[in-house]
Amino acid sequence: MAKFSVNDCPIIDLGKIQGERRGSITVVENDGTLPFDVKRVYYLYDVPGGSSRGAHAHRDLSQLIIAASGSFQVTLDDGRLKRTFFLNRPYQGLLVRQGIWRDLDDFSSGAVCMVLASDVYIKEDYIRDYQEFLEYRKGF
Ligand code: TYD
């Protein structure tokens, strides 16, 4: 499997359809916009101020993380480099490739973190121990 770095995790512009005085729509389809087909969507909300989420990596799963409402910060880590992104635009998503550790924090009140994922939920795909993650990255 390819070994991705944090520099392979761009912000993807999804575009928006803006109605006159009627609000906006952003659409994601399995049409090659993302490097994977979306098999699952989940969203985090009601995250108390000061809380953090994530703190794991996935062996095989790819994701697009979107601030559907409000804002939060995502720090990506490939075991060598870290990059922090501030997400606050519902028409943009952060592509998180396989094998990248992520920490989410600084949630604004009312923030909704929507995640488009390349696969169904598989518990065994998670690495939740940071030392194990570093070993995993070395072992590629
Ligand atoms: P977790 O992945 O730890 O949340 P985060 O990393 O974003 O802080 O998930 C929290 C709980 O929800 C955990 O018990 C697993 C469960 N869960 C599912 O059952 N299905 C899912 O698709 C997801 C994302 C989580």
Side-chain angles (χ1 to χ4, degrees):
M1 196 221 299
K3 185 173 183 173
F4 292 110
S5 84
V6 292
N7 292 323
D8 300 312
C9 299
I11 297 269
I12 294 181
D13 215 305
L14 301 167
K16 66 174 154 175
I17 302 164
Q18 199 144 13
E20 282 173 42
R21 298 183 299 279
R22 294 194 305 128
S24 303
I25 300 178
T26 289
V27 182
V28 183
E29 290 184 299
N30 289 330
D31 59 359
T33 307
L34 306 180
F36 59 86
D37 276 0
V38 177
K39 279 207 192 156
R40 174 173 53 124
V41 176
Y42 65 90
Y43 35 100
L44 302 173
Y45 51 95
D46 288 349
V47 180
S51 294
S52 53
R53 304 288 309 232
H56 63 256
H58 288 281
R59 292 179 169 84
D60 291 325
L61 193 77
S62 303
Q63 298 179 317
L64 188 77
I65 300 182
I66 300 167
S69 184
S71 64
F72 50 86
Q73 195 169 274
V74 185
T75 300
L76 301 183
D77 179 347
D78 59 22
R80 207 171 57 84
L81 293 173
K82 289 187 190 197
R83 276 184 83 187
T84 296
F85 298 84
F86 179 69
L87 299 185
N88 67 344
R89 298 193 171 110
Y91 55 88
Q92 291 183 337
L94 174 63
L95 178 65
V96 184
R97 301 285 199 159
Q98 302 96 309
I100 303 282
W101 187 272
R102 86 287 320 269
D103 289 296
L104 282 72
D105 56 21
D106 268 354
F107 285 84
S108 70
S109 86
V112 178
C113 169
M114 186 162 73
V115 182
L116 313 185
S118 64
D119 209 345
V120 297
Y121 176 71
I122 300 170
K123 192 166 174 275
E124 296 71 33
D125 187 58
Y126 282 72
I127 303 172
R128 293 189 181 274
D129 181 88
Y130 190 69
Q131 285 310 316
E132 187 187 335
F133 166 70
L134 293 178
E135 290 301 317
Y136 176 77
R137 290 292 308 198
K138 271 193 233 156
F140 264 90

